[in-house]
Amino acid sequence: MKLHLFKTLWGHSGSIDEAIVAARQNGFDGLEGQAPATAELRREFHAKLHDAGLDYIAEICTAGSYVPDRSASVADHLESFRRQAGAAVECAPRFLTVIAGCDAWPLDASIEFFAEAMEFAKQLAVAVSFETHRSRSMFHPWITRDLLLALPALRLTCDYAHWCCVCERLIDTEPDVVALCAERAHHVHARVGYEQGPQVPHPAAPEFQPALEAHERWWRMIWRAQAERGMTVSTMTPEFGPDGYLQCAPFTRTPVADLDEINAWMAERERQQFARRNSEDFA
């Protein structure tokens, strides 16, 4: 099995050309982010990635941004998903990763949404996975477990950093849920969370080594489960980002670290981790 790493466009303030250059310099296999807003821009985006030899993972947020519109109904989220998915496929993505639903919904509403979203996804001829994300339907381990049991075809983008924050603990306490998620994992967002937040200031800092190593245990479970399912490629996006995730000094708002450097460090770290585990576990 191979590991393909993607550069996130979340927090990237430059041009697509600059993102492509940075991706190639740091050995990324492609970009992950939301599709451009217009058909013309999507054509240009796709052409530039094709010319650069880079792949693309399209990100979708239903009915809002990363936090949903609290008043949006299941039907609103479905319409938002269909519309954005139709635009995203114009960029020929490898797959769609979707931040969907609402944390305030009862379980039956979330089941209704994901069942209908997966049915629509069959028409797209592209895989779709749904992210474990705060403020969304899969915002903690136990409701995610219930959704996975109710919907055997549901596939995940696993971002466990959110759960560490929501649960206020590293989720080694939930081995059965982590194992079930590994069986359904399609994609990984490699951001390290900790008991008091969804993003450590820097994953190389020794004070956050327990959190880093915990996440790597969970990612290794995913790699092993994917290999057992016969997958030949595992995808991962180092996804340290801005928007309150990156800690800043008070008053000056000076960031405590550089996002590009953190994500490049995370990518190289996981290349090495995967290579070692690939030779030990998957040979």
Side-chain angles (χ1 to χ4, degrees):
M1 189 165 70
K2 297 180 180 178
L3 178 64
H4 286 183
L5 288 152
F6 286 73
K7 173 180 170 56
T8 181
L9 292 177
W10 180 41
H12 176 72
S13 58
S15 68
I16 291 300
D17 294 314
E18 290 169 332
I20 288 172
V21 169
R24 299 188 70 175
Q25 287 176 340
N26 289 292
F28 287 106
D29 298 283
L31 302 180
E32 178 178 328
Q34 297 183 18
T38 68
E40 180 179 358
L41 290 174
R42 289 191 289 272
R43 286 192 295 270
E44 179 182 358
F45 178 73
H46 173 53
K48 287 183 175 183
L49 287 179
H50 180 268
D51 291 345
L54 294 176
D55 211 340
Y56 173 54
I57 297 171
E59 181 182 273
I60 288 173
C61 299
T62 65
S65 182
Y66 295 104
V67 177
D69 177 352
R70 178 64 181 86
S71 65
S73 65
V74 168
D76 293 330
H77 280 262
L78 286 167
E79 188 280 329
S80 176
F81 170 59
R82 294 185 185 111
R83 173 174 45 80
Q84 293 182 69
V89 296
E90 296 175 14
C91 299
R94 179 181 292 196
F95 59 87
L96 311 180
T97 182
V98 186
I99 298 170
C102 180
D103 53 3
W105 283 353
L107 179 61
D108 59 353
S110 290
I111 291 173
E112 177 187 355
F113 168 79
F114 287 107
E116 295 198 33
M118 288 190 294
E119 191 63 30
F120 172 76
K122 294 176 182 178
Q123 306 171 30
L124 297 174
V126 62
V128 177
S129 63
F130 296 91
E131 184 176 341
T132 59
H133 198 288
R134 287 175 302 150
S135 81
R136 298 296 187 151
S137 289
M138 290 187 282
F139 71 106
H140 67 60
W142 307 284
I143 194 166
T144 303
R145 173 201 59 201
D146 294 345
L147 282 166
L148 292 174
L149 293 176
L151 300 167
L154 186 64
R155 292 295 177 263
L156 299 179
T157 293
C158 291
D159 188 339
Y160 294 130
H162 289 287
W163 286 357
C164 295
C165 179
V166 169
C167 300
E168 205 169 356
R169 59 187 178 274
L170 300 177
I171 56 169
D172 287 319
T173 58
E174 311 305 320
D176 293 343
V177 180
V178 176
L180 177 60
C181 289
E183 293 173 6
R184 304 291 189 85
H186 182 77
H187 180 46
V188 173
H189 280 173
R191 189 178 63 257
V192 176
Y194 65 117
E195 294 88 340
Q196 302 302 331
Q199 180 170 302
V200 298
H202 198 299
E207 61 267 34
F208 294 108
Q209 184 176 356
L212 171 63
E213 292 180 348
H215 284 72
E216 289 179 331
R217 284 194 296 275
W218 309 329
W219 298 338
R220 284 196 299 271
M221 291 178 65
I222 289 172
W223 292 337
R224 190 172 297 111
Q226 289 178 334
E228 290 171 353
R229 298 202 305 268
M231 291 178 63
T232 58
V233 176
S234 182
T235 58
M236 172 179 275
T237 300
E239 206 204 25
F240 286 77
D243 190 31
Y245 284 69
L246 179 63
Q247 289 85 350
C248 296
F251 304 109
T252 66
R253 302 298 298 162
T254 303
V256 300
D258 179 85
L259 285 178
D260 288 339
E261 186 274 327
I262 292 175
N263 283 322
W265 183 92
M266 196 82 244
E268 183 56 32
R269 164 88 179 193
E270 296 318 308
R271 282 191 193 96
Q272 295 175 12
Q273 292 287 312
F274 186 86
R276 186 169 75 249
R277 293 299 169 179
N278 204 26
S279 63
E280 293 175 358
D281 296 345
F282 312 141

